[in-house]
Amino acid sequence: MVTIINFKERQTEEGKVFFVLEAQGGIEMIQSKVTGNFYATAKKAFIPATFDEVTCKALIGTQMQGQIIKEECDPYEYINKESGEVIMMHHRYVYAQEELEVKRIQEPIHGNFKPSQDVFSKNGKLELEHA
């Protein structure tokens, strides 16, 4: 389950304005590789939308089926806003919709029939039990 927590205005290369919804997954506990301490975090991703600003505002707080997953991508530079450190990233977080129905493996229909030889005659001759 993900929650829409915000939205942002973006612009296409042609100059057209559109909005993206900021979605956040559930809380996760991560252990620091440096200190060994745990900290709480949540993955976030942006989902392009066709909605106007008023609709995007109204959607804040809405929960949707799905999850935020880590996806490998071409390397890019990320600048830490607090420290100014430049980090080379090889992944991004994206929204992935979960399947709502579990696919069932069904036995072929012919496997459901169990013919009984007692129902059929043998070579056109009917054998009577009580004759």
Side-chain angles (χ1 to χ4, degrees):
M1 195 67 98
V2 300
T3 305
I4 298 171
I5 61 168
N6 201 2
F7 69 96
K8 303 225 183 266
E9 185 178 300
R10 300 274 169 91
Q11 197 169 14
T12 66
E13 292 177 1
E14 295 82 30
K16 184 178 177 185
V17 174
F18 69 101
F19 293 95
V20 293
L21 302 172
E22 185 176 3
Q24 178 176 289
I27 189 170
E28 298 179 35
M29 298 304 294
I30 305 292
Q31 188 173 19
S32 169
K33 292 178 184 175
V34 177
T35 66
N37 295 330
F38 285 91
Y39 60 93
T41 188
K43 294 176 186 167
K44 296 178 185 178
F46 291 96
I47 305 168
T50 59
F51 305 124
D52 60 10
E53 184 173 3
V54 173
T55 304
C56 289
K57 277 184 189 176
L59 289 172
I60 294 175
T62 301
Q63 292 190 324
M64 306 185 309
Q65 290 292 329
Q67 59 185 335
I68 308 297
I69 61 170
K70 187 177 185 178
E71 179 180 83
E72 297 298 318
C73 66
D74 292 334
Y76 65 96
E77 288 184 352
Y78 172 78
I79 301 172
N80 184 323
K81 294 175 185 174
E82 293 178 12
S83 67
E85 179 184 8
V86 177
I87 303 168
M88 189 60 92
M89 302 293 282
H90 301 274
H91 69 274
R92 61 187 179 147
Y93 291 103
V94 297
Y95 169 75
Q97 194 173 26
E98 294 174 339
E99 289 189 37
L100 300 177
E101 292 183 21
V102 177
K103 292 182 182 177
R104 287 184 251 151
I105 299 174
Q106 185 176 349
E107 186 178 332
I109 292 176
H110 62 78
N112 295 332
F113 295 106
K114 307 250 189 271
S116 171
Q117 290 182 352
D118 298 333
V119 176
F120 300 101
S121 67
K122 297 178 176 60
N123 293 329
K125 297 179 182 177
L126 179 64
E127 294 178 21
L128 297 175
E129 223 177 275
H130 303 294

